[in-house]
Amino acid sequence: ILVTGGEGFVGKTVVGLLRTEGHNVISIDISSEDKSMKVDVTNRNQVKTAFTIFKPEAVIHLASLAGATGKGGGAESIKFPHEYFHVNLNGVLNIYETCRELEINKVLCMSSFSPYGIARCPINEETTFSPNNPYGSSKACVEEIAKCYAMNYGIKTLILRPPLICGEKQKEMNVLREFVYSAILNKPITIFGEGKHVREFIHPQDIARAYSAGLNYLERMEKKCELPMTKHC
């Protein structure tokens, strides 16, 4: 199993769990200290070289620019829209095109709840997409690329849309970290609005278990694509 973005906050947890389960896991990442594992997913030649060398049976694609900065609304992506579209779209396109060329037919792809935009709860697979920032839009496009390759080239595909990911060793700022820092510094905890909004959080270990279950499901999956047919399709 080849994991892109395997050195990241979520990637390390996914790689660690799969290895403890006995899988042979290869981690590639643009920040890897091992030159043989240092791969920029926006570089098609680097992706194809790595896939040709390691010959994975399945790919878990986690490498992307994330959207959370603690300011909400995909603030970082609003500042740098081109970078977000460049990395997230070209990354997934290179992954799927390489899988098509090398006949790798299992891909698990990381999306996000961000394509839903500001939605009324509860959100489910049939909730209409309405992204309101470049990050959310880029993830919606990622899903369209994944679905296209699944439907046209038979690459079995599962898409996960996790909510806000929080846990130890996280570098991104979010509301939980802000609360903790405020408490440590003995500063007031700031609540925006009327304090009635609801957010769902998930730990990387839960995501890792979801990907493990996804790998098992791909083995018996009959359809080419298990991407939810949201109303925007």
Side-chain angles (χ1 to χ4, degrees):
I1 300 164
L2 188 147
V3 179
T4 72
E7 296 297 316
F9 169 53
V10 176
K12 286 184 177 180
T13 305
V14 172
V15 169
L17 175 66
L18 294 179
R19 283 176 175 165
T20 61
E21 293 180 341
H23 294 285
N24 181 9
V25 184
I26 297 296
S27 167
I28 62 173
D29 196 295
I30 194 172
S31 62
S32 176
E33 296 181 358
D34 186 337
K35 290 184 178 180
S36 64
M37 306 297 184
K38 188 178 180 67
V39 176
D40 178 355
V41 293
T42 68
N43 186 311
R44 184 177 171 186
N45 290 333
Q46 290 184 21
V47 171
K48 189 169 184 178
T49 297
F51 280 40
T52 301
I53 292 173
F54 298 120
K55 299 179 175 63
E57 295 179 51
V59 177
I60 297 178
H61 179 48
L62 304 178
S64 68
L65 288 184
T69 63
K71 297 182 182 299
E76 197 71 11
S77 73
I78 291 173
K79 290 181 181 178
F80 306 105
H82 181 271
E83 285 80 354
Y84 273 78
F85 281 108
H86 170 68
V87 173
N88 293 350
L89 270 66
N90 285 317
V92 74
L93 181 60
N94 288 336
I95 295 300
Y96 273 94
E97 178 63 10
T98 301
C99 286
R100 183 189 70 82
E101 292 177 339
L102 300 182
E103 298 183 343
I104 300 166
N105 73 337
K106 298 183 184 71
V107 177
L108 293 94
C109 190
M110 173 74 90
S111 183
S112 168
F113 73 103
S114 293
Y116 295 121
I118 301 174
R120 294 181 179 179
C121 292
I123 293 172
N124 59 38
E125 289 86 348
E126 296 182 353
T127 301
T128 302
F129 274 9
S130 184
N132 59 350
N133 57 64
Y135 174 68
S137 295
S138 74
K139 284 297 187 178
C141 293
V142 161
E143 293 200 16
E144 290 299 324
I145 293 171
K147 183 172 65 175
C148 175
Y149 273 81
M151 294 175 64
N152 290 282
Y153 306 108
I155 300 174
K156 290 184 177 181
T157 295
L158 289 175
I159 303 291
L160 271 66
R161 297 174 182 160
L164 200 60
I165 306 169
C166 296
E168 303 86 346
K169 298 181 180 180
Q170 183 175 7
K171 295 180 180 179
E172 292 178 346
M173 184 57 72
N174 56 55
V175 66
L176 292 185
R177 291 189 73 190
E178 287 186 355
F179 285 177
V180 170
Y181 281 129
S182 295
I184 290 173
L185 299 174
N186 198 29
K187 292 184 176 181
I189 292 177
T190 302
I191 305 292
F192 293 98
E194 298 179 357
K196 296 181 180 180
H197 53 286
V198 177
R199 295 297 298 270
E200 183 179 359
F201 303 94
I202 189 168
H203 195 277
Q205 292 177 358
D206 295 307
I207 295 177
R209 284 191 286 267
Y211 276 111
S212 174
L215 285 169
N216 293 329
Y217 184 75
L218 282 178
E219 293 297 327
R220 62 181 188 276
M221 180 171 153
E222 296 180 359
K223 297 180 180 180
K224 297 177 182 178
C225 178
E226 286 288 339
L227 184 66
M229 297 299 292
T230 48
K231 296 176 183 177
H232 74 295
C233 295

